[in-house]
Amino acid sequence: MRRRFIAIGGWGCLVLALSLWGVLRCADSWPPATVVMFAPLYLVALLPGALLVVAAVFHRRALRPLVPAFVVTIGPVAGFCVPWNSASGGDVPAGLRLRVLTCNAHYSRVPAAPLDNLVTETRPDVVLLQEWNSKNRSEVLTGPEWHIHRDSGHFLASRYPIRRVEPLGNRSAGTQGSVTRYILGARSESVVLFSIHLASPRDGLSEVAKGDAFGMDNILANSELRWIQSRNLADWAGRVEGPVVLAGDFNTPPHSDIFRQVWNGYENAFTSAGWGWGYTFIVRGAAVRIDHILVGGGGRAIACWVGPNIGSPHRPVIADLAWPGGESKVQ
């Protein structure tokens, strides 16, 4: 009886894992799948993980469905990343190198010490902060080695001169999103950076959790808005020739259909060069990866990791990026 229960549980876990994987392929195109995408999906791996241990002791034949079920729930479903690109080696581009740090401060009064300690330890070339409060302070980023710009909730600190600043949208809930484009002079080259904050699905998710009948309508409306914002952003970024970075709070996990259709021409730094789940928004049991660094213009991510808590529900994302030689131009 026990062996039969384990066998049924193993096949059930595999069916569940494959079903969730299929559902997530529809995220941001089908509201129920979008809700699943924002759920704490790492919890799904607990059941096949526990049954793996039981099956290894009492019924090893049940490992046949349990091993693939565990792999699917850990990887494609929960989003565990392995830096295969870095592990496989390959030549690192010999041109521009840039370390980027991005974080949504969430309009929290972020204390100076955690952010300053992180900047001192990681030594980024560029710091991009979204929803930066005027009450926030940093002793390190006001030093003479930094070029600073702050506007409409976006904060930039760059070790390279800021050649141009263009606010493209100032409302995260508007069709343009909250986006600022910067052009930086980096040694003999230039790089274009977009600091991003797109519309949050928070209200719709809260309504669904409470059983509100209009919750799914709001989820659909938010997805449609993020589709529009992402396409607008991709249009702006597509005009850049040369090194380009899009960093910030996309409010969109990598499972989203938006990533497959809009951002398939850009490398997601954590997906290709990070290790683990890389969750960036962690609050009250929720854990999702919605803050990203995307690389374009022929560049690639060499390394990427998520930083510690600095006083915001969003965790910082840090990435080492590299491009071959050449100068970027913006049209």
Side-chain angles (χ1 to χ4, degrees):
M1 184 68 179
R2 179 171 57 192
R3 290 165 63 89
R4 184 180 179 185
F5 174 79
I6 295 172
I8 293 173
W11 287 107
C13 285
L14 182 58
V15 170
L16 176 62
L18 295 175
S19 298
L20 284 173
W21 190 4
V23 165
L24 288 168
R25 299 286 296 179
C26 303
D28 272 327
S29 294
W30 182 44
T34 306
V35 173
V36 172
M37 175 176 67
F38 284 101
L41 292 169
Y42 63 93
L43 295 176
V44 179
L46 296 180
L47 180 56
L51 278 177
L52 268 175
V53 176
V54 175
V57 176
F58 297 108
H59 189 21
R60 292 192 175 182
R61 288 185 63 184
L63 293 174
R64 295 176 183 176
L66 278 170
V67 169
F70 185 70
V71 170
V72 169
T73 53
I74 285 289
V77 173
F80 193 94
C81 294
V82 177
W84 298 114
N85 288 1
S86 301
S88 61
D91 295 333
V92 176
L96 173 66
R97 299 287 296 271
L98 203 68
R99 175 169 287 183
V100 177
L101 185 157
T102 184
C103 185
N104 183 344
H106 207 67
Y107 289 123
S108 304
R109 187 163 185 173
V110 175
L115 176 60
D116 285 350
N117 290 340
L118 180 63
V119 171
T120 301
E121 291 170 6
T122 59
R123 297 190 56 79
D125 299 302
V126 175
V127 177
L128 293 165
L129 304 173
Q130 302 82 39
E131 293 195 320
W132 183 250
N133 197 310
S134 60
K135 297 179 181 179
N136 295 133
R137 294 288 182 270
S138 169
E139 301 297 330
V140 171
L141 295 177
T142 55
E145 70 273 25
W146 293 100
H147 302 270
I148 303 296
H149 187 272
R150 184 185 185 280
D151 183 38
S152 65
H154 291 267
F155 176 90
L156 166 70
S158 169
R159 296 186 189 274
Y160 302 110
I162 303 171
R163 291 171 44 190
R164 191 187 307 172
V165 178
E166 298 176 85
L168 301 176
N170 56 17
R171 291 183 62 250
S172 63
T175 54
Q176 305 301 313
S178 179
V179 179
T180 299
R181 176 169 60 182
Y182 307 96
I183 302 179
L184 307 181
R187 296 189 177 94
S188 62
E189 303 185 54
S190 61
V191 59
V192 179
L193 295 96
F194 292 83
S195 181
I196 299 155
H197 183 213
L198 303 187
S200 171
R202 178 176 53 249
D203 292 342
L205 292 172
S206 177
E207 290 169 355
V208 169
K210 294 175 183 176
D212 192 316
F214 295 101
M216 285 298 181
D217 291 337
N218 286 336
I219 290 291
L220 178 59
N222 173 260
S223 292
E224 291 174 344
L225 177 56
R226 282 185 290 110
W227 273 103
I228 294 171
Q229 293 174 334
S230 297
R231 285 170 174 146
N232 286 336
L233 182 55
D235 180 62
W236 293 324
R239 302 175 191 177
V240 177
E241 296 179 5
V244 59
V245 179
L246 302 103
D249 181 5
F250 287 69
N251 269 309
T252 307
H255 295 98
S256 171
D257 205 19
I258 293 173
F259 268 97
R260 283 189 295 276
Q261 295 194 36
V262 178
W263 300 118
N264 60 345
Y266 296 82
E267 182 174 292
N268 187 309
F270 193 88
T271 299
S272 61
W275 177 269
W277 283 297
Y279 296 137
T280 63
F281 184 78
I282 304 172
V283 61
R284 292 192 297 274
V288 290
R289 180 154 69 97
I290 58 176
D291 302 89
H292 307 282
I293 297 176
L294 305 185
V295 192
R300 57 173 288 199
I302 308 304
C304 186
W305 65 100
V306 176
N309 185 353
I310 63 169
S312 165
H314 293 260
R315 300 294 188 265
V317 182
I318 306 103
D320 288 331
L321 314 175
W323 293 263
E327 186 171 352
S328 70
K329 300 176 183 178
V330 95
Q331 299 175 348

